Amino acid sequence: MTKAIVVFSGGQDSTTCLFWALQQFDKVITVAFDYGQKHKAELECAASIANDLNVEHHVLDLMLINQLSANALTRDDIDINAGTNDSLPSTFVEGRNMLFLTFAAIFAKTHDIKNIITGVCQTDFSGYPDCRDIFIKSLNVTLNLAMDYEFVVHTPLMWIDKQQAWQLADELGKLDYIRNNTLTCYNGIKGDGCGQCPACVLRANGLNKYLEFR
Ligand code: ZN
């Protein structure tokens, strides 16, 4: 039996990855991280989707991220901004994907799981160095050496843009589900969201472009 774990936030990207994984593997479980997100809705959304899909869901405590860095995802006094050519967005948490994948891998091995799926993407690269393909490949090797295990890190969204991510959702037959039930918005509003924050703007642009040429 092939088994996989999806690093899962309840957002558009990781939910698309979850549906992708459910097509590829016999058994799929999900893991979410609680790092003190301002919007508990994110964790609730992830749990609710996993429940809808009858997927075993786990939440790991990663509150220590807030001892390491101040960011707009967890702090009310830091505004969300998209970042400029010279600066990263205020939602950036240094090394976050590295931490998530590392904890997911340790958890996976204890569950006898080799396949790890993450929704990171280089195409819409916001300047997060640990979302790059070269980093994921490097970490994959490191994890295998660290635990003497044959992990395979899958990144179904790595080379596609937001428009193509909606296309993939549609090809999986889940466009409407993903549109209505996932949470991407920085203001914690499900589905089409607040429409104003950088995450909503990016998501809406991709969706509109896809629907226009569908
Ligand atoms: Zn929003």
Side-chain angles (χ1 to χ4, degrees), residues 10 13 22 54 82 89 97 119 124 138 143 154 157-158 161 165 177 183 197-198:
D13 292 344
L22 286 166
N54 206 16
N97 283 311
D124 283 324
S138 159
L143 291 170
H154 302 265
L157 308 183
M158 183 60 80
D161 61 19
Y177 183 90
L183 193 159
C197 73

Side-chain angles (χ1 to χ4, degrees), residues 185-187 194-195 197 200:
C185 173
Y186 288 138
N187 291 310
C194 74
C197 73
C200 280

